[in-house]
Structures are given as structure tokens and as C-alpha cells.
Amino acid sequence: LVIQRRCYMSFWYHMYGSGVGWLAVVAYVYNDPNNLKVWKQADLWWLWGNRGNKWQNAMVSLYGPDTAGKTSRIAISAIRGWDYSGD
């Protein structure tokens, strides 16, 4: 994916409970699209902790100083919380 202006990603998330971990959207940016072994990570969005017992929508801009015009791979990354009291 080559990131251009006004490039967004939208998704729904549910993070409820005192033991909730974190959720992030990251871009793996390649300076040379012919060499996909060398990349730099750009953190685009992240949340941690309890966000209430409801589904919420997030809209993340993929366009930024690290990603503009560059070949990138987008990933949603998560780490679970520390106990059973979070989903």
C-alpha cells in the first residue's frame, strides 16, 4: 500500500474491564519498495485501559510524515491485559 493524502482506516473496538491491555495501529514503512526486508515502524494510533462497556468506532489517518508517499504495511496490534477482568 502506498499511502497518499486522505488515506484513513476505520474499525470498531470493545475494551471493557479493569484488566484491559492495549490496542494499536502501526505502519511498517519501506523506504525502498524493492527491499521489503528493511522497514521502520511508525505508530499511528493507540489506546490502553478500560473504555467502557460499548463498541466504539475509531478512524485513523494513515497519512503522516513517516508514511507519506511510501510503501507501507498496516497492522492492528494488541496485548491482552494482566488478568481475567478485561475483554
Side-chain angles (χ1 to χ4, degrees):
L1 173 68
V2 176
I3 306 295
Q4 301 296 333
R5 293 181 188 259
R6 297 186 193 117
C7 188
Y8 296 91
M9 181 174 88
S10 177
F11 60 94
W12 290 85
Y13 64 91
H14 192 275
M15 297 171 69
Y16 175 62
S18 61
V20 171
W22 64 269
L23 182 66
V25 177
V26 297
Y28 300 103
V29 183
Y30 304 97
N31 286 326
D32 179 0
N34 297 314
N35 181 3
L36 300 181
K37 293 181 181 178
V38 178
W39 50 268
K40 175 179 145 183
Q41 180 175 324
D43 298 325
L44 303 176
W45 178 93
W46 60 271
L47 280 179
W48 65 273
N50 184 9
R51 299 296 166 171
N53 190 14
K54 62 184 176 181
W55 284 94
Q56 300 189 61
N57 184 259
M59 182 174 289
V60 178
S61 174
L62 304 180
Y63 185 84
D66 293 327
T67 59
K70 304 231 174 113
T71 299
S72 302
R73 182 171 43 108
I74 306 301
I76 296 176
S77 180
I79 293 184
R80 69 177 182 87
W82 48 89
D83 65 28
Y84 66 90
S85 63
D87 58 16

